[in-house]
Amino acid sequence: MTKLERDTRLEGSAGSFRGTLHPDWQVWFPNGGYMAAMLLRAIGESTSFVQPLSFSCHYLSVPKIGPVDISVLTIKQMRNAESVVFQMTQDTKPIIHGIAWVGRPVDGYLHNEMVMPDVPHYSELKPTKEIPGAYSGEGLWTNFEQRPVKGDVHWLLQEAEEPVQQDWMRFESDDLDESPYLSAARFLVLLDTYCWTAAARRHVGDPTYIAPTLSLTVDFHQQYHDHWMLLDSGVPISEQGYMKASNRLWSEDGKCIASGMATLMCRPRPGQ
């Protein structure tokens, strides 16, 4: 049992569920990747297919910590795959809406030419807890062990750098969830959360804006149930107030296990 499993538990069945957003998964407000993880779990409990294939959602409103309602509806079911739509609401207010494919392994062509970045192994790097000023110890960040490849985080930088953040990551738990949906839920949390940290490296010293996620699309390439993952986050474009992120997640043995794209919208930082 992991903390993510406990904090995404659902009541209900047959595509209609209720969950509770937990305060340990918020930064400015409840984390979008965490809410996506809860939705993926609802999808897993609504289908007989064994693994998620893709997940795409729009973030429509900011919820409060507390109960949310989730619905999952099958749009098309085939022999080997199923398309579903899903939504999360709170007091009838739409929070998230999206679509996903789930399926089972089938015979087909096989190749994988994606190459993991050449970075040090996590055993050679310090966790943020051991880097002065790098660990906040609050909210969302308490759920991970993060080992930055460059040995820093964006708020410690003195000068702007390219908008890329690379970290070895693991969730703070000695347990692993064997469910393909719960395991893949970890990917959603990471691929959503670290878009902003990459973008912020390019705008050191300018605290004018925050940039919540408007949309997130993730493709799941391989099942992966081990602890450590390399998160490679980049935000190569920011134009007209919208940032475009492209992220990849790698297994410890160098396989790309998931990839994602996101759109973030700049908003004035509260209190500015």
Side-chain angles (χ1 to χ4, degrees):
M1 181 189 305
T2 66
K3 191 173 190 311
L4 184 61
E5 188 279 330
R6 291 194 303 271
D7 292 344
T8 58
R9 286 180 184 172
L10 302 167
E11 298 177 354
S13 61
S16 180
F17 304 93
R18 170 158 280 208
T20 300
L21 300 179
H22 196 281
D24 286 354
W25 298 87
Q26 63 180 342
V27 186
W28 304 312
F29 24 75
N31 174 257
Y34 163 62
M35 293 188 288
M38 185 178 288
L39 285 161
L40 187 64
R41 183 169 186 175
I43 293 168
E45 295 187 15
S46 301
T47 181
S48 60
F49 287 97
V50 297
Q51 66 188 63
L53 303 176
S54 66
F55 178 100
S56 183
C57 72
H58 289 179
Y59 297 98
L60 305 175
S61 304
V62 176
K64 300 175 292 186
I65 295 300
V68 291
D69 295 301
I70 294 172
S71 64
V72 180
L73 176 66
T74 297
I75 299 301
K76 175 69 174 182
Q77 183 170 332
M78 302 182 292
R79 178 180 299 178
N80 293 313
E82 179 180 3
S83 174
V84 302
V85 293
F86 54 83
Q87 66 175 353
M88 175 184 289
T89 60
Q90 188 174 67
D91 298 328
T92 72
K93 181 174 72 173
I95 305 300
I96 301 175
H97 182 84
I99 191 165
W101 275 104
V102 298
R104 61 171 59 94
V106 297
D107 293 333
Y109 293 119
L110 179 62
H111 71 270
N112 188 339
E113 299 180 11
M114 300 181 75
V115 179
M116 187 173 80
D118 184 12
V119 301
H121 190 261
Y122 63 81
S123 61
E124 304 173 38
L125 301 169
K126 289 185 178 181
T128 52
K129 289 181 179 179
E130 296 180 11
I131 301 172
Y135 182 68
S136 71
E138 297 180 357
L140 176 71
W141 313 112
T142 63
N143 295 297
F144 317 119
E145 180 177 343
Q146 176 185 1
R147 298 195 178 197
V149 167
K150 291 188 175 182
D152 59 27
V153 290
H154 66 85
W155 59 82
L156 296 181
L157 298 178
Q158 299 299 312
E159 297 181 354
E161 296 187 354
E162 62 176 335
V164 173
Q165 178 80 32
Q166 295 174 322
D167 305 272
W168 283 101
M169 305 290 302
R170 75 173 184 90
F171 282 71
E172 288 280 20
S173 172
D174 292 327
D175 301 320
L176 287 169
D177 293 310
E178 294 301 322
S179 160
Y181 289 91
L182 277 169
S183 184
R186 300 177 301 162
F187 309 166
L188 293 177
V189 177
L190 296 177
L191 289 168
D192 171 83
T193 301
Y194 284 84
C195 297
W196 167 250
T197 65
R201 299 184 75 89
R202 185 64 180 82
H203 300 279
V204 171
D206 183 359
T208 307
Y209 300 104
I210 60 174
T213 308
L214 288 183
S215 64
L216 175 69
T217 297
V218 171
D219 288 311
F220 305 101
H221 307 310
Q222 300 203 15
Q223 294 189 40
Y224 184 68
H225 300 283
D226 288 335
H227 291 283
W228 285 102
M229 297 167 277
L230 175 68
L231 178 60
D232 182 17
S233 301
V235 183
I237 298 174
S238 182
E239 294 281 357
Q240 299 180 333
Y242 297 93
M243 295 179 166
K244 306 295 183 177
S246 178
N247 301 338
R248 293 176 179 176
L249 199 59
W250 304 85
S251 65
E252 187 175 351
D253 61 355
K255 295 183 175 64
C256 186
I257 53 180
S259 56
M261 300 185 70
T263 297
L264 293 72
M265 181 173 68
C266 292
R267 294 173 53 182
R269 184 178 295 272
Q272 291 291 317

